[in-house]
Amino acid sequence: MPIEATPVATDTTATPHAAWLILPRLRVQNANAISSPMTWGFPSVTAFTGFMTALERKLGPDAGIRFSAIGIICHGFEAQVTPTRQGVYTHSFALTRNPVLQDGGTAAIVEEGRVHLDITLVLQASISDALLDDAQRQTCANAIAQQVAGMRLAGGSVMPSMTQTRQRSPKAKLVRQESGFEQREKQFKRLSRQWLPGFALVSRDDVLHARLADMQNSAAPGTPAPTLLDAWLDVARLNIRASLHPDTQAVEWKPDARPGWLVPMPVGFAALSELHAAGTVSGTRDTRVPFRFVESVYSIGQWISPHRLSDCTHLMWQPTYAPDTGLYRCTNTYAEHAAATTPAETYVPLSIAD
């Protein structure tokens, strides 16, 4: 159960034929809410990078468009859960009833977490010369929207947009990026306002590293040194600590301050075995490709309003692979920007002042 927090350098800067494919307000029904063995809620980033790869393969090389990264903005989240008798803070998944067996007995229930989503996807694209014309790009965007309507996303079904009473449903767009940095920044600001209200998912590996350093500095002598797993669990939960008021000396209980809406999240997979040749392992889903046993890799993410992002590269998630370590990881560059501009975290110190 490794926790990876070292960012991998990526390059999603504009090229002469760089573009953004915008798929606005996708309604996804019954998406997978169990994103990893340790987290639940919003689907894993790997589900969206897998959707990006599947979409490119369905379009084929003749479409004249290739994808390299994907941005995720969430407008609505409706988990299919119900409160339990333990209280309003404890929920259980609303499961489907399976048909009875041939002998009339009750079939086993496999727990499946489901969630309804309202999301906007922004895909970093590279287009051919044939798509430089505005009309051709819109025709391509319309064809892609038709293709997406019949696909699965994070295990869920893409549903038609809800009927709007005062305005039409937004359509897919293939927007060519401006060549200059300032022009591209203004262009992204214009587009990001169209994605409100909503929250974009970005990486905060810097918060995880900063929390680990704080825990190591505050560790009592003779105790085991905190690990990245300890820091990850500490950031993932709500910590309420006691402190003394400087004037009245009364004990006050306050939650830890946070630099934003932080969430624990899986960001990829780490290899547990060597890469086996295709067809040598029985029971695999696809016997035509090599197979490898893996486990989830975790980090910290943050939900942030899109209008607070200054560059589209801060929004994008890119799948990477390190052959030497066997690490399959989705990377995002927002943490590098945040660490250079703002303090990584503002947690209350672990020790209580006398």
Side-chain angles (χ1 to χ4, degrees):
M1 185 179 57
I3 298 180
E4 174 65 28
T6 303
V8 181
T10 59
D11 183 12
T12 55
T13 56
T15 63
H17 295 82
W20 295 316
L21 173 63
I22 303 173
L23 302 174
R25 296 288 184 171
L26 296 178
R27 293 178 56 239
V28 184
Q29 191 175 72
N30 292 329
N32 181 25
I34 305 178
S35 54
S36 73
M38 296 186 65
T39 58
W40 79 275
F42 197 80
S44 172
V45 177
T46 56
F48 295 92
T49 56
F51 170 81
M52 176 184 68
T53 303
L55 177 60
E56 182 177 328
R57 291 179 177 177
K58 283 183 175 293
L59 295 176
D62 297 336
I65 184 171
R66 300 188 64 182
F67 306 118
S68 58
I70 187 170
I72 309 164
I73 300 103
C74 182
H75 308 285
F77 177 89
E78 184 183 352
Q80 302 302 293
V81 296
T82 180
T84 61
R85 296 181 179 178
Q86 283 73 22
V88 296
Y89 295 104
T90 304
H91 294 73
S92 62
F93 288 116
L95 305 178
T96 58
R97 176 68 176 180
N98 297 330
V100 297
L101 301 177
Q102 295 181 352
D103 58 356
T106 303
I109 296 178
V110 179
E111 189 173 38
E112 296 179 348
R114 296 174 291 116
V115 60
H116 300 337
L117 301 173
D118 183 6
I119 57 177
T120 292
L121 300 181
V122 183
L123 287 78
Q124 179 79 40
S126 176
I127 59 177
S128 63
D129 295 339
L131 296 177
L132 297 182
D133 181 68
D134 293 345
Q136 292 295 332
R137 286 202 306 274
Q138 188 57 47
T139 301
C140 179
N142 295 337
I144 293 176
Q146 292 293 330
Q147 184 70 53
V148 170
M151 295 180 60
R152 290 283 214 177
L153 176 55
S157 303
V158 179
M159 308 297 292
S161 300
M162 298 290 289
T163 303
Q164 302 292 333
T165 56
R166 296 185 179 180
Q167 59 183 1
R168 297 180 179 178
S169 301
K171 295 183 178 180
K173 294 187 294 184
L174 184 58
V175 182
R176 186 180 178 187
Q177 293 185 21
E178 299 289 348
S179 56
F181 176 78
E182 294 182 358
Q183 292 82 356
R184 191 167 68 251
E185 186 177 9
K186 292 180 180 179
Q187 181 187 27
F188 175 72
K189 283 294 184 182
R190 229 174 18 248
L191 293 171
S192 63
R193 287 193 288 268
Q194 302 175 10
W195 306 329
L196 298 176
F199 291 90
L201 183 62
V202 296
S203 173
R204 291 309 304 265
D205 296 340
D206 58 320
V207 172
L208 186 60
H209 274 302
R211 189 55 180 157
L212 176 62
D214 180 70
M215 295 179 67
Q216 291 175 342
N217 295 332
S218 305
T223 59
T227 64
L228 271 176
L229 177 59
D230 298 323
W232 184 77
L233 292 173
D234 190 80
V235 176
R237 62 177 176 246
L238 177 63
N239 297 315
I240 302 179
R241 310 183 193 277
S243 61
L244 293 177
H245 194 278
D247 299 330
T248 62
Q249 297 299 310
V251 176
E252 297 180 346
W253 291 89
K254 296 181 179 180
D256 286 351
R258 291 171 174 263
W261 184 359
L262 301 178
V263 289
M265 57 181 294
V267 293
F269 304 96
L272 293 176
S273 67
E274 298 294 332
L275 192 63
H276 300 282
T280 58
V281 179
S282 61
T284 58
R285 180 177 299 178
D286 191 346
T287 58
R288 298 169 297 177
V289 297
F291 180 83
R292 167 175 273 174
F293 292 95
V294 297
E295 62 179 347
S296 295
V297 176
Y298 301 91
S299 188
I300 295 295
Q302 180 179 355
W303 291 105
I304 186 171
S305 182
H307 80 281
R308 297 187 180 277
L309 302 176
S310 58
D311 197 316
C312 189
T313 58
H314 302 156
L315 173 67
M316 296 298 172
W317 289 88
Q318 184 176 23
T320 61
Y321 169 54
D324 298 336
T325 59
L327 180 63
Y328 303 81
R329 192 184 192 279
C330 297
T331 61
N332 175 266
T333 60
Y334 178 79
E336 302 172 10
H337 165 74
T341 56
T342 58
E345 60 174 332
T346 54
Y347 282 95
V348 176
L350 291 175
S351 59
I352 300 176
D354 295 332

